[in-house]
Amino acid sequence: MVGRLRSLQDGDKAIVDVVACGSRAVPFLRALLFAREPSGLTQVRRRVIQALAALGAEDVLLAYLKEPCEASDPVERAGDEDAKNIAAGCIRRPGEGVAFGVLLDLARRKPLPAAIAALGRSRRAEAIPMLVAALAEDACRLSAERALVDMDADAVPHLTAAALRREPSDEDESESSLRRRRSALQVLRDMGVPADAWPALREALYERDDAVALAAARIALECAPKPDRKDAVRRLLDIIDRAGAAWRMEIEDALTEHFETAEPSIKERLEDIGDDPRPDSCRHLTRASLLRVMWRADFVPRAVGR
């Protein structure tokens, strides 16, 4: 019966029949799960994991997650990691003692998306450093961001530190470090930064990386004191000259939402730009963006003298 899980045609249907066999199928399923798969394919192991989860054999899944992916062949190792990712997503109570420890160790070895999501579901503060570290990983970032937003205030100090920490050094920051810092600021903005947490983030407003500065400016407009909000507007007006379409729209939204703070700087910038006749120039694009902001705020008649 368990052997039918290998079938290309009937393998998925066999899951129901195997589960119907009850606990006596578990040893056979365990053997299949722990068997090497040099091809790197995970279809059979996915079925096995689903059957074990349906049978409540979480101890077998946890034992499997404890096993390191030591295959020397990269194809086989990738398949093992994919199978472990599926197994991690089947852990029903990730916050409980043994399960939490296994998932945390797995994430330290290899931050797999389902393991990161499971740690997030645990809602345990001990998981926060690992979730923050996962922000640097493309495959795990979305799972880590969602989990950290749910952690709420407990995550703020960790995210603040991550947003400001450059690795390996201030002078030679890696791309993964930049991704982590940009993501940490986005999470902070999504969860809402309390006013008393802003001073620690203030230096990010003057970052040389535009994405970091943009995220910091948006946070400042929400929670910073008035002088810093004005600096945030000036920083956005600096970035908009170099911005692509997506960032330009984001900056327009921020300036419109906080128009009362932004209006003096916008008018000053429009006067400085003048009327550049070249439709493809940066100054023309910036002028068009700022006029859109004025129009959205119902101030375009005064801006264009009509």
Side-chain angles (χ1 to χ4, degrees):
M1 180 71 71
V2 172
R4 284 179 55 207
L5 294 172
R6 294 183 178 277
S7 171
L8 291 175
Q9 293 181 328
D10 300 324
D12 289 335
K13 296 177 183 177
I15 295 173
V16 176
D17 295 332
V18 169
V19 171
C21 293
S23 59
R24 57 197 174 97
V26 171
F28 302 98
L29 290 169
R30 189 185 195 282
L32 268 180
L33 181 60
F34 280 80
R36 282 188 60 193
E37 182 52 76
S39 71
L41 297 175
T42 57
Q43 189 175 32
V44 174
R45 283 179 287 184
R46 175 182 59 78
R47 294 166 182 160
V48 169
I49 289 166
Q50 288 174 336
L52 286 166
L55 289 166
E58 198 162 286
D59 57 329
V60 177
L61 297 180
L62 291 172
Y64 178 63
L65 291 174
K66 287 181 181 179
E67 290 289 308
C69 298
E70 294 181 335
S72 57
D73 181 73
V75 173
E76 182 178 356
R77 188 166 61 251
D80 291 343
E81 290 173 356
D82 191 28
K84 281 184 165 51
N85 188 55
I86 296 168
C90 291
I91 303 301
R92 294 178 180 176
R93 295 176 293 278
E96 295 185 0
V98 174
F100 181 76
V102 170
L103 289 167
L104 202 58
D105 287 342
L106 173 63
R108 288 193 183 106
R109 298 196 308 270
K110 180 71 177 181
L112 302 172
I116 294 301
L119 288 172
R121 293 199 311 276
S122 76
R123 301 294 181 89
R124 290 181 58 165
E126 303 98 304
I128 292 175
M130 187 56 58
L131 297 175
V132 171
L135 295 176
E137 305 291 334
D138 290 342
C140 301
R141 188 172 303 115
L142 279 177
S143 297
E145 287 176 347
R146 290 169 184 156
L148 286 163
V149 168
D150 290 338
M151 292 287 185
D152 206 21
D154 288 341
V156 170
H158 298 271
L159 288 164
T160 299
L164 301 176
R165 186 176 66 251
R166 302 175 186 86
E167 294 177 342
S169 68
D170 287 352
E171 296 75 22
D172 185 26
E173 184 174 16
S174 68
E175 186 59 35
S176 63
S177 173
L178 262 177
R179 289 196 295 267
R180 184 199 67 244
R181 295 203 297 129
R182 294 165 183 164
S183 181
L185 284 165
Q186 185 59 51
V187 173
L188 283 166
R189 180 170 173 262
D190 289 344
M191 68 170 52
V193 176
D196 60 0
W198 167 250
L201 285 168
R202 189 176 187 275
E203 67 179 82
L205 190 58
Y206 308 101
E207 271 283 344
R208 58 180 177 267
D209 180 75
D210 284 347
V212 170
L214 173 56
R218 298 216 64 179
I219 292 172
L221 288 171
E222 297 289 345
C223 70
K226 190 173 182 178
D228 287 347
R229 293 202 305 272
K230 290 183 176 179
D231 281 355
V233 169
R234 285 190 282 269
R235 194 71 177 92
L236 291 176
L237 293 177
D238 170 58
I239 295 170
I240 199 170
D241 284 340
R242 303 182 292 277
W247 280 12
R248 190 174 291 274
M249 290 175 64
E250 184 176 349
I251 292 170
E252 289 179 23
D253 289 343
L255 294 175
T256 303
E257 186 177 349
H258 300 277
F259 186 75
E260 186 177 347
T261 300
E263 182 182 7
S265 295
I266 289 174
K267 287 183 174 180
E268 181 181 336
R269 186 61 185 281
L270 283 169
E271 290 177 6
D272 179 62
I273 291 174
D275 187 9
D276 192 325
R278 296 170 299 169
D280 58 344
S281 70
C282 290
R283 289 167 66 86
H284 176 89
L285 293 173
T286 297
R287 181 176 185 273
S289 286
L290 298 184
L291 287 175
R292 273 194 297 272
V293 171
M294 299 286 279
W295 176 79
R296 289 169 66 185
D298 290 329
F299 279 86
V300 72
R302 284 193 287 151
V304 298
R306 288 190 254 176

PDB file of all heavy atoms in Angstrom, residues 291-303:
ATOM      1  N   LEU A 291       3.263  68.521  -9.092  1.00  0.00           N
ATOM      2  CA  LEU A 291       1.973  69.100  -9.480  1.00  0.00           C
ATOM      3  C   LEU A 291       0.837  68.116  -9.238  1.00  0.00           C
ATOM      4  O   LEU A 291      -0.273  68.519  -8.862  1.00  0.00           O
ATOM      5  CB  LEU A 291       2.009  69.533 -10.957  1.00  0.00           C
ATOM      6  CG  LEU A 291       2.834  70.795 -11.250  1.00  0.00           C
ATOM      7  CD1 LEU A 291       2.887  71.059 -12.750  1.00  0.00           C
ATOM      8  CD2 LEU A 291       2.264  72.004 -10.515  1.00  0.00           C
ATOM      9  N   ARG A 292       1.122  66.831  -9.438  1.00  0.00           N
ATOM     10  CA  ARG A 292       0.100  65.824  -9.130  1.00  0.00           C
ATOM     11  C   ARG A 292      -0.216  65.830  -7.638  1.00  0.00           C
ATOM     12  O   ARG A 292      -1.384  65.696  -7.235  1.00  0.00           O
ATOM     13  CB  ARG A 292       0.566  64.429  -9.564  1.00  0.00           C
ATOM     14  CG  ARG A 292       0.244  64.092 -11.006  1.00  0.00           C
ATOM     15  CD  ARG A 292       0.411  62.612 -11.294  1.00  0.00           C
ATOM     16  NE  ARG A 292       1.775  62.163 -11.124  1.00  0.00           N
ATOM     17  CZ  ARG A 292       2.707  62.194 -12.085  1.00  0.00           C
ATOM     18  NH1 ARG A 292       2.393  62.683 -13.284  1.00  0.00           N
ATOM     19  NH2 ARG A 292       3.921  61.774 -11.862  1.00  0.00           N
ATOM     20  N   VAL A 293       0.827  65.967  -6.828  1.00  0.00           N
ATOM     21  CA  VAL A 293       0.612  66.032  -5.377  1.00  0.00           C
ATOM     22  C   VAL A 293      -0.252  67.246  -5.031  1.00  0.00           C
ATOM     23  O   VAL A 293      -1.208  67.148  -4.250  1.00  0.00           O
ATOM     24  CB  VAL A 293       1.959  66.102  -4.628  1.00  0.00           C
ATOM     25  CG1 VAL A 293       1.740  66.395  -3.147  1.00  0.00           C
ATOM     26  CG2 VAL A 293       2.739  64.805  -4.802  1.00  0.00           C
ATOM     27  N   MET A 294       0.058  68.400  -5.645  1.00  0.00           N
ATOM     28  CA  MET A 294      -0.717  69.617  -5.383  1.00  0.00           C
ATOM     29  C   MET A 294      -2.165  69.426  -5.828  1.00  0.00           C
ATOM     30  O   MET A 294      -3.108  69.834  -5.140  1.00  0.00           O
ATOM     31  CB  MET A 294      -0.089  70.802  -6.123  1.00  0.00           C
ATOM     32  CG  MET A 294       1.337  71.132  -5.705  1.00  0.00           C
ATOM     33  SD  MET A 294       1.455  71.932  -4.097  1.00  0.00           S
ATOM     34  CE  MET A 294       1.062  73.625  -4.551  1.00  0.00           C
ATOM     35  N   TRP A 295      -2.347  68.803  -6.981  1.00  0.00           N
ATOM     36  CA  TRP A 295      -3.702  68.579  -7.484  1.00  0.00           C
ATOM     37  C   TRP A 295      -4.476  67.647  -6.552  1.00  0.00           C
ATOM     38  O   TRP A 295      -5.631  67.911  -6.223  1.00  0.00           O
ATOM     39  CB  TRP A 295      -3.638  67.987  -8.894  1.00  0.00           C
ATOM     40  CG  TRP A 295      -4.995  67.648  -9.442  1.00  0.00           C
ATOM     41  CD1 TRP A 295      -5.916  68.483  -9.980  1.00  0.00           C
ATOM     42  CD2 TRP A 295      -5.578  66.336  -9.468  1.00  0.00           C
ATOM     43  NE1 TRP A 295      -7.037  67.789 -10.362  1.00  0.00           N
ATOM     44  CE2 TRP A 295      -6.856  66.465 -10.053  1.00  0.00           C
ATOM     45  CE3 TRP A 295      -5.139  65.075  -9.070  1.00  0.00           C
ATOM     46  CZ2 TRP A 295      -7.700  65.377 -10.237  1.00  0.00           C
ATOM     47  CZ3 TRP A 295      -5.974  63.990  -9.246  1.00  0.00           C
ATOM     48  CH2 TRP A 295      -7.248  64.156  -9.825  1.00  0.00           C
ATOM     49  N   ARG A 296      -3.820  66.581  -6.131  1.00  0.00           N
ATOM     50  CA  ARG A 296      -4.485  65.637  -5.234  1.00  0.00           C
ATOM     51  C   ARG A 296      -4.845  66.288  -3.903  1.00  0.00           C
ATOM     52  O   ARG A 296      -5.809  65.900  -3.246  1.00  0.00           O
ATOM     53  CB  ARG A 296      -3.595  64.415  -5.008  1.00  0.00           C
ATOM     54  CG  ARG A 296      -3.477  63.512  -6.229  1.00  0.00           C
ATOM     55  CD  ARG A 296      -2.395  62.470  -6.062  1.00  0.00           C
ATOM     56  NE  ARG A 296      -2.707  61.518  -5.009  1.00  0.00           N
ATOM     57  CZ  ARG A 296      -1.863  60.558  -4.616  1.00  0.00           C
ATOM     58  NH1 ARG A 296      -0.674  60.435  -5.203  1.00  0.00           N
ATOM     59  NH2 ARG A 296      -2.202  59.723  -3.657  1.00  0.00           N
ATOM     60  N   ALA A 297      -4.079  67.279  -3.510  1.00  0.00           N
ATOM     61  CA  ALA A 297      -4.362  67.974  -2.261  1.00  0.00           C
ATOM     62  C   ALA A 297      -5.273  69.192  -2.486  1.00  0.00           C
ATOM     63  O   ALA A 297      -5.465  69.998  -1.588  1.00  0.00           O
ATOM     64  CB  ALA A 297      -3.052  68.405  -1.597  1.00  0.00           C
ATOM     65  N   ASP A 298      -5.795  69.298  -3.733  1.00  0.00           N
ATOM     66  CA  ASP A 298      -6.714  70.402  -4.077  1.00  0.00           C
ATOM     67  C   ASP A 298      -6.061  71.776  -4.024  1.00  0.00           C
ATOM     68  O   ASP A 298      -6.718  72.776  -3.699  1.00  0.00           O
ATOM     69  CB  ASP A 298      -7.963  70.399  -3.181  1.00  0.00           C
ATOM     70  CG  ASP A 298      -8.878  69.231  -3.484  1.00  0.00           C
ATOM     71  OD1 ASP A 298      -8.921  68.784  -4.649  1.00  0.00           O
ATOM     72  OD2 ASP A 298      -9.532  68.744  -2.557  1.00  0.00           O
ATOM     73  N   PHE A 299      -4.775  71.825  -4.340  1.00  0.00           N
ATOM     74  CA  PHE A 299      -4.091  73.107  -4.346  1.00  0.00           C
ATOM     75  C   PHE A 299      -3.536  73.455  -5.716  1.00  0.00           C
ATOM     76  O   PHE A 299      -2.807  74.406  -5.883  1.00  0.00           O
ATOM     77  CB  PHE A 299      -2.927  73.091  -3.330  1.00  0.00           C
ATOM     78  CG  PHE A 299      -3.368  73.342  -1.929  1.00  0.00           C
ATOM     79  CD1 PHE A 299      -3.815  72.294  -1.141  1.00  0.00           C
ATOM     80  CD2 PHE A 299      -3.372  74.620  -1.397  1.00  0.00           C
ATOM     81  CE1 PHE A 299      -4.232  72.508   0.159  1.00  0.00           C
ATOM     82  CE2 PHE A 299      -3.779  74.830  -0.079  1.00  0.00           C
ATOM     83  CZ  PHE A 299      -4.220  73.787   0.693  1.00  0.00           C
ATOM     84  N   VAL A 300      -3.868  72.697  -6.738  1.00  0.00           N
ATOM     85  CA  VAL A 300      -3.312  72.959  -8.056  1.00  0.00           C
ATOM     86  C   VAL A 300      -3.697  74.327  -8.612  1.00  0.00           C
ATOM     87  O   VAL A 300      -2.894  74.970  -9.293  1.00  0.00           O
ATOM     88  CB  VAL A 300      -3.664  71.816  -9.034  1.00  0.00           C
ATOM     89  CG1 VAL A 300      -5.116  71.828  -9.426  1.00  0.00           C
ATOM     90  CG2 VAL A 300      -2.767  71.882 -10.257  1.00  0.00           C
ATOM     91  N   PRO A 301      -4.902  74.865  -8.376  1.00  0.00           N
ATOM     92  CA  PRO A 301      -5.205  76.201  -8.941  1.00  0.00           C
ATOM     93  C   PRO A 301      -4.198  77.264  -8.482  1.00  0.00           C
ATOM     94  O   PRO A 301      -3.719  78.059  -9.272  1.00  0.00           O
ATOM     95  CB  PRO A 301      -6.609  76.486  -8.411  1.00  0.00           C
ATOM     96  CG  PRO A 301      -7.210  75.137  -8.200  1.00  0.00           C
ATOM     97  CD  PRO A 301      -6.076  74.306  -7.700  1.00  0.00           C
ATOM     98  N   ARG A 302      -3.845  77.232  -7.193  1.00  0.00           N
ATOM     99  CA  ARG A 302      -2.890  78.213  -6.724  1.00  0.00           C
ATOM    100  C   ARG A 302      -1.486  77.931  -7.238  1.00  0.00           C
ATOM    101  O   ARG A 302      -0.696  78.828  -7.490  1.00  0.00           O
ATOM    102  CB  ARG A 302      -2.877  78.205  -5.188  1.00  0.00           C
ATOM    103  CG  ARG A 302      -4.080  78.901  -4.575  1.00  0.00           C
ATOM    104  CD  ARG A 302      -3.858  79.140  -3.107  1.00  0.00           C
ATOM    105  NE  ARG A 302      -3.953  77.899  -2.346  1.00  0.00           N
ATOM    106  CZ  ARG A 302      -3.280  77.699  -1.212  1.00  0.00           C
ATOM    107  NH1 ARG A 302      -2.469  78.630  -0.760  1.00  0.00           N
ATOM    108  NH2 ARG A 302      -3.424  76.574  -0.553  1.00  0.00           N
ATOM    109  N   ALA A 303      -1.158  76.634  -7.422  1.00  0.00           N
ATOM    110  CA  ALA A 303       0.190  76.264  -7.840  1.00  0.00           C
ATOM    111  C   ALA A 303       0.486  76.721  -9.258  1.00  0.00           C
ATOM    112  O   ALA A 303       1.614  77.120  -9.559  1.00  0.00           O
ATOM    113  CB  ALA A 303       0.368  74.752  -7.735  1.00  0.00           C
TER     114      ALA A 303
END
